[in-house]
Amino acid sequence: KEHFPDAEICHARFASEESLEESVEKLLEAGCQTIIYQCFCNPVYTDFEEYAVTFPLLHRIVGGRAKLVFADQPGNQAPMRRAFTELAADRLEQLPGDASILLILSRHGHPFRKETGDSRGVLYRQELEKDMRTLLEKRSGKCVLVWADDEYADEYWDRRGRKMSTLDAYRKAMKEGYDYALEIPTDFIAENTDLMILHAMKKFTAFHDYDIYEPVVYPDWEKPLERVFHNGTTTAIYAGCPVGKYRKHIVEAIRDSLLEIRDARDT
């Protein structure tokens, strides 16, 4: 509202055709001649969601009744990366300086041979990795960074073993004797049933003290959901998502992505 005081703003659930239809009709009734779509919950746009589903669906719903603009993925904005690096930095500060750490940057993962999100994801992940490595360079202990997929990196989906699953990343930490395995789920800005339940069932089975049937205790959604497990000499720390004090960076990334559209129009 500060940058676009005359703009109409409404929320839609991008996976719901009914919700998108309701939002489009609301904007058209308000007299909007241009509709800008921005997905704030996915740092990287993918065929899994935006390119093959939401974008063509929204084109059909608008049906030429207004100009339709798709704002770029928020992961291209530096503040989005900052949300995750600050989360990681805060957790690293709590660990002994000389501890050996395997930093796991986890992704959702996908089953496709070719996925637009892979090529577009580089714009987000390459810079994020640089920022994370800068954090690790400040430490005195052995620190290694790996990328891992929560899903579709198992023997069924990835028979040639081209990907590393988050489960295998944790196993690597234990096998190689790291003191800590610290996971940052980089594709999510908040907790959800994927992370808390489904993905957890796939990757935390590496640890003896993980109980697949135990309820997930998360009383304060304004704080990252941290989960800690142990196996041998390795402590696994799932750092959670950038909620609460980190959310300001998410908002800045959304704002900057929208401002790019205004700046392009002005030039």
Side-chain angles (χ1 to χ4, degrees):
K1 280 296 187 179
E2 177 184 346
H3 295 278
F4 306 96
D6 299 326
E8 294 287 333
I9 300 174
C10 66
H11 177 258
R13 298 183 297 277
F14 75 92
S16 167
E17 182 173 355
E18 180 181 3
S19 179
L20 288 170
E21 288 178 344
E22 290 176 356
S23 297
V24 167
E25 296 306 324
K26 176 183 177 181
L27 294 174
L28 292 176
E29 289 175 7
C32 296
Q33 297 178 326
T34 298
I35 294 176
I36 298 176
Y37 172 87
Q38 172 63 276
C39 180
F40 59 81
C41 61
N42 296 326
V44 175
Y45 287 173
T46 68
D47 295 330
F48 219 35
E49 288 157 329
E50 288 82 17
Y51 293 116
V53 181
T54 310
F55 287 3
L57 175 60
L58 201 55
H59 267 294
R60 183 178 63 78
I61 293 173
V62 174
R65 293 177 291 169
K67 183 179 180 180
L68 183 58
V69 178
F70 294 101
D72 202 3
Q73 60 184 24
N76 287 12
Q77 307 299 326
M80 178 65 73
R81 302 192 299 271
R82 197 173 303 128
F84 291 94
T85 53
E86 285 193 7
L87 173 65
D90 287 346
R91 197 60 190 83
L92 285 168
E93 286 181 359
Q94 300 175 36
L95 304 181
D98 59 351
S100 58
I101 299 171
L102 181 67
L103 177 61
I104 304 170
L105 302 183
S106 60
R107 300 172 289 214
H108 181 288
H110 66 77
F112 310 119
R113 291 184 179 179
K114 292 186 177 181
E115 158 67 82
T116 309
D118 288 339
S119 55
R120 300 235 60 222
V122 172
L123 302 172
Y124 164 58
R125 297 185 181 115
Q126 192 172 62
E127 295 302 315
L128 178 62
E129 180 177 330
K130 290 180 182 178
D131 295 340
M132 292 292 188
R133 289 191 183 280
T134 298
L135 289 179
L136 297 181
E137 288 170 359
K138 299 177 182 178
R139 302 186 58 84
S140 59
K142 175 185 177 182
C143 294
V144 173
L145 182 153
V146 297
W147 284 94
D149 293 343
D150 278 358
E151 292 203 75
Y152 306 112
D154 52 42
E155 293 180 358
Y156 178 84
W157 291 102
D158 182 34
R159 297 180 182 180
R160 297 186 180 182
R162 295 176 176 175
K163 304 175 183 179
M164 174 181 285
S165 68
T166 311
L167 171 61
D168 283 342
Y170 279 124
R171 286 173 172 167
K172 173 183 174 68
M174 292 183 291
K175 181 180 179 181
E176 298 181 10
Y178 284 89
D179 296 321
Y180 296 94
L182 175 62
E183 180 191 352
I184 308 291
T186 63
D187 276 352
F188 301 89
I189 64 167
E191 290 296 335
N192 52 73
T193 51
D194 266 12
L195 284 176
M196 297 172 69
I197 302 173
L198 180 61
H199 293 189
M201 291 165 61
K202 294 171 183 258
K203 61 191 176 186
F204 295 143
T205 52
F207 301 95
H208 300 311
D209 51 351
Y210 169 68
D211 185 348
I212 197 171
Y213 298 107
E214 185 176 343
V216 180
V217 180
Y218 192 17
D220 188 352
W221 286 67
E222 286 301 301
K223 296 180 180 178
L225 173 63
E226 182 177 292
R227 307 181 74 174
V228 180
F229 304 102
H230 304 86
N231 200 331
T233 60
T234 300
T235 297
I237 302 172
Y238 169 84
C241 297
V243 297
K245 70 175 186 177
Y246 308 105
R247 189 179 293 116
K248 63 181 180 180
H249 300 307
I250 307 296
V251 176
E252 290 170 356
I254 302 303
R255 178 203 63 194
D256 292 351
S257 181
L258 294 171
L259 289 177
E260 283 185 348
I261 299 174
R262 184 194 64 180
D263 295 341
R265 178 199 63 191
D266 293 341
T267 55

